[in-house]
Structures are given as C-alpha cells and as structure tokens.
Amino acid sequence: MTVSPYADDPKQIKETNPFESMMSRFDEAARLLNLDPNIYRILRSPSREITVYIPTLMDNGQYEIFVGYRVQHNFARGPAKGGIRYAPDVSLDEVRALAAWMTWKCAVVNIPFGGAKGGVICDPSKMSLAELERMTRRYTAELLDFLGPERDVPAPDMNTNEQVMAWIMDTYSMHARHSVTAVVTGKPVEIGGSRGRREATGRGLLFVINEACKKFNFDINSTRVAVQGSGNVGGIGAQLLQNTGYKIVGISEIKGAIYNPNGIDVNKALDYLKKNKTYEGYPEADYLTNQELLEVDCDVLMPAATENQITSANADRIRCKIMAEGANGPTTASADKILFDKGIFVIPDILANAGGVTVSYFEWVQDRMGFFWREDVVNERLQDTMVASFHEVVRYAETHKVSMRIAAYMLAIDRVGYDLKLRGVYA
Ligand code: GLU
C-alpha cells in the first residue's frame, strides 16, 4: 500500500510506491533481456485505466460515492485477469502495479491470460452486507463494457470473497440476460466455482516451499516457518504447511503476532483469532508486533499480508533462509538487494502466490466446458503447474546468474514480449 511507516521521508515514499517497485524490477529484467525498445515501451504502460464513481445507497438512507478502479495492463496472451480489492488505502498507483504484476504472474505460470486489477476505496469492516452488495453491483454495472469471459475476468483479492464474486456474476448475467459464470472466478462452488480455488494460493505456496526445501536439503519435519497474515493466503497456507509436517513457529494478523519456537497449533490459533478478533492473550505463545515477527529466527518466512513489509529499513534483520511471498509486493526493490547479499533464497510473489490465479484459470476452463473436475484433479494440475514453474525460474536464475525475482520477471517479460511480437502491434 502507498501508506508507509516512513510517510514523511521522500526516499521511503518512492521506495514504498508499489508502481515504482514493480517498474524498477521490470526495467532491470528488460535491460538484461536486451528487450526490443518498442516492446519495452508498450509493456511499460497499461492498456486501459478506468475510474468509476459508485453512488451507493447506505443503510441510513444517504448516498455515498465510492471511487473504484480497474486497470487492464495487458491482453497479449489472452483476456485480462486479476482480483478486486476493497480497502480504505487503495490508490491508482497501487492498482496499476498490481495489474502489471498479474500480467507477469500469469506469464510465469504460462496460463493464457493478461493482467488486470481492480480496487474500490472503502472500509468494508464498517459496511453492512447490504451496502457491500449495492456497492459491488453498481461497480460491476459501471464496468460492464470492459468485463467478460473473453475480456477481463475478476477474482477475489484483499477483503473480497466468494460472495462478492457471486454478486458480480449475477449483475453481469442480469445484463447479458443469461448466466455468464466465466465472467469471474473464485465464485462459490455451487454456482460455477472450482473445487480447491479457496485453498489454491496457500496450496501453491506449499508446493513451491516443498521444492525449495528439496533444493536445499531441508528436512520438512524440522523446518520452522513464520507466517505474516492469517487470511485466505496466510491462514490457509499455514494450515496446509502444518498438515505437511512443517513447524509453524509464528503467525500474525493485522494488530500483532504470536511466536513459540516449539511450534504453534495453527488450527487452535486461528480458532482463537476468530473468537477474540486478536491473537493477544493467546496462552501458548508470546505476543509480538508484526515487525518483530518478520525478524524471528526461522527457516522459511512467508509474508502473506500486504505490500511493503520488507524494506531497506528492516531487510538486514530478516533471519530466514527461504522467503516465499504470499502477498503481492511485500518486498521493496531496495530490500531485494539486501536479501540477495544475505543469501536469502526468495521465491518471488509472481511465482509463489500464483496458485490462486492458476486455479482461477482452471475455474474459467471448467465454466466454459460446463464440466467440473474433482478436487484431487484440480490439486494435481495445480501441483504440476507450480512445480514446473518453480524449476523454470530456478533454471533461468542459474543460467543468467540473477536473483529468483529478476529471473521470474525475465521469464515473464520474455513470454509476453514474444507473444506481442507474434501478434504485431495494431497501429
Ligand atoms: N487476487 C489473486 C492474485 O493476486 C488472484 C487473482 C485471480 O485469480 O485472478 O493473484
């Protein structure tokens, strides 16, 4: 997010601007690829940025006007794809960065989509379900001309869920006069969602962490993991890792974290969080700040909360050996260099958290076929994709002697640039 703890320091503002963060990696990867300057210029800017003003009837009878965005970064490889987030600090620069990250992410895992992202500036924790539904439907209606299974396919992101996707699907379908299930992914299974989609981001993280542990000969049963975040990515990821044998030593939510070097029972901790809305007072662990959690002694760190958590201000104190980015953009470009020099093996966001969009792709395919797969089939195909993509990025990093992050960008930009060249530029 653009709000940073260093908001009055211009150097840090630049560092924590997600668009700058994305662009500086893009520029470095493009330079190393010797990317054609014309392709470079085209990929540097989004295709389309839409701002909508969303009049929403609030429960008190007043209308509130929410501001919403949808940025469609690129269509060279297929329809634009990416989530929608609801948060008070959403900004156009953030959505713009997230849209570009979706283009690179879809290319890293080689699925036939471009990239997009949406966001609405609102505080869903202060809105009723009815207000959220009205805002979502009007936001969808404002974007009708730009969405569609062949155009742009939204999905959940921060503070949006299956219910929000169901409203979007229904609103779009009412205008089309027939059900268009493939217009969004991450829907409830009963109305065209895919089995395994809810757990897919966490499961994808598990698969790439497994591969990284194999690479470094870590024994899973003595590998200590700290997780930042307890939501759909962090919470489910931690549960799946624990079920596989990893020891979860720390986990956090927005206000604070718990830490126990002997391990935390994730299911118990998540139950506690659900009941108490905080980890504070959890009896079987110490209570830490989010910042302290990032710096604990562990083998694997999984930042799965939000942007700009690891910056030039704290990267030097990070003590893990492997970092798997569950969130989009948790590490700034300046922090990348510090982590690289410390020898930390970073599985970058556009690879590590691509399990979600991969199963979104499977959902879109199933909707279009009208034929739905068993959960084990979904999970097996997800595993194939994540494992293959992990090794492709590792090979790229080793061949070009670059970090995993720059390797992932290079692989993605190479694929998108090649496809753009094949199609040609309609000018
Ligand atoms: N919001 C998720 C992401 O950032 C999923 C996007 C999708 O499935 O389209 O990858």
Side-chain angles (χ1 to χ4, degrees):
M1 269 169 230
T2 46
V3 178
S4 93
Y6 319 100
D8 44 8
D9 174 349
K11 194 180 136 269
Q12 286 286 352
I13 289 173
K14 199 166 151 51
E15 178 181 345
T16 55
N17 178 314
F19 191 68
E20 301 268 352
S21 262
M22 188 281 298
M23 233 9 139
S24 78
R25 277 83 165 240
F26 172 81
D27 282 350
E28 187 177 343
R31 184 177 56 76
L32 291 166
L33 279 170
N34 254 326
L35 191 68
D36 174 331
N38 287 312
I39 301 287
Y40 171 80
R41 270 198 292 278
I42 292 169
L43 293 183
R44 236 182 164 268
S45 36
S47 278
R48 195 180 277 143
E49 299 184 347
I50 307 146
T51 301
V52 295
Y53 294 84
I54 312 160
T56 303
L57 180 62
M58 305 306 277
D59 294 344
N60 64 6
Q62 307 279 323
Y63 279 89
E64 184 105 31
I65 316 294
F66 294 100
V67 179
Y69 305 108
R70 185 75 181 168
V71 175
Q72 298 173 328
H73 175 260
N74 192 275
F75 297 90
R77 291 169 50 84
K81 185 82 193 80
I84 292 172
R85 62 173 56 178
Y86 289 169
D89 50 6
V90 161
S91 71
L92 185 54
D93 251 0
E94 181 195 26
V95 177
R96 197 180 267 146
L98 289 159
W101 276 324
M102 288 309 304
T103 302
W104 313 136
K105 191 185 300 188
C106 292
V108 167
V109 288
N110 215 353
I111 57 178
F113 287 134
K117 203 78 168 199
V120 179
I121 307 172
C122 64
D123 185 351
S125 70
K126 298 207 171 82
M127 293 169 72
S128 70
L129 205 62
E131 289 169 343
L132 275 174
E133 175 172 355
R134 289 192 288 266
M135 186 187 78
T136 301
R137 287 187 183 277
R138 180 63 188 253
Y139 173 63
T140 308
E142 294 295 334
L143 292 176
L144 275 182
D145 293 341
F146 304 100
L147 303 180
E150 308 287 348
R151 292 186 174 146
D152 181 357
V153 185
D157 198 82
M158 272 165 59
N159 299 326
T160 58
N161 55 20
E162 293 177 3
Q163 177 61 76
V164 174
M165 296 309 114
W167 291 328
I168 296 176
M169 192 272 270
D170 184 70
T171 307
Y172 189 89
S173 299
M174 288 298 129
H175 285 267
R177 315 300 296 157
H178 62 98
S179 287
V180 187
T181 52
V183 67
V184 284
T185 59
K187 301 176 291 295
V189 170
E190 296 76 6
I191 53 170
S194 175
R195 294 187 176 86
R197 173 62 185 88
R198 195 183 306 155
E199 300 81 14
T201 312
R203 195 178 298 279
L205 279 152
L206 166 69
F207 292 143
V208 292
I209 291 171
N210 283 344
E211 292 309 294
C213 286
K214 266 188 230 157
K215 179 173 162 63
F216 294 108
N217 293 319
F218 286 6
D219 169 18
I220 285 179
N221 293 307
S222 53
T223 298
R224 299 158 307 153
V225 185
V227 180
Q228 187 193 36
S230 293
N232 180 260
V233 182
I236 294 180
Q239 282 174 318
L240 293 170
L241 285 159
Q242 183 158 71
N243 294 345
T244 309
Y246 291 91
K247 189 197 272 187
I248 309 299
V249 292
I251 186 161
S252 78
E253 52 82 46
I254 219 155
K255 296 187 284 296
I258 43 173
Y259 173 69
N260 182 343
N262 300 317
I264 287 168
D265 181 330
V266 177
N267 293 332
K268 232 167 149 179
L270 289 174
D271 274 351
Y272 184 92
L273 177 63
K274 209 166 164 190
K275 272 196 213 97
N276 300 284
K277 307 273 172 277
T278 172
Y279 281 130
E280 198 168 3
Y282 184 71
E284 290 162 30
D286 296 331
Y287 193 61
L288 306 181
T289 65
N290 254 294
Q291 279 305 317
E292 286 168 333
L293 177 92
L294 293 172
E295 297 168 18
V296 299
D297 186 19
C298 61
D299 302 300
V300 178
L301 177 65
M302 190 166 106
T306 185
E307 290 105 276
N308 297 326
Q309 297 303 297
I310 298 140
T311 69
S312 57
N314 64 356
D316 204 34
R317 296 195 296 273
I318 304 293
R319 286 195 274 170
C320 62
K321 302 179 184 80
I322 295 169
M323 192 167 99
E325 296 183 331
N328 292 311
T331 310
T332 66
S334 318
D336 275 355
K337 298 193 175 50
I338 302 169
L339 299 178
F340 188 74
D341 291 343
K342 280 170 73 91
I344 294 176
F345 182 80
V346 176
I347 315 174
D349 47 7
I350 55 174
L351 166 65
N353 71 36
V357 75
T358 299
V359 175
S360 276
Y361 166 53
F362 298 157
E363 180 171 331
W364 180 79
V365 168
Q366 292 171 76
D367 285 341
R368 286 155 53 107
M369 287 196 294
F371 175 67
F372 292 86
W373 311 344
R374 287 197 321 262
E375 186 165 348
D376 59 317
V377 174
V378 172
N379 291 345
E380 200 183 309
R381 290 184 170 150
L382 172 63
Q383 182 165 19
D384 288 349
T385 301
M386 296 307 294
V387 170
S389 306
F390 175 87
H391 290 290
E392 268 177 310
V393 176
V394 168
R395 264 198 307 277
Y396 222 98
E398 288 171 357
T399 312
H400 297 271
K401 301 198 172 27
V402 293
S403 67
M404 285 287 284
R405 167 122 38 224
I406 294 301
Y409 272 73
M410 287 172 78
L411 179 65
I413 294 168
D414 203 17
R415 283 190 177 144
V416 179
Y418 185 80
D419 294 349
L420 186 60
K421 253 199 172 136
L422 278 178
R423 288 177 66 146
V425 179
Y426 183 45

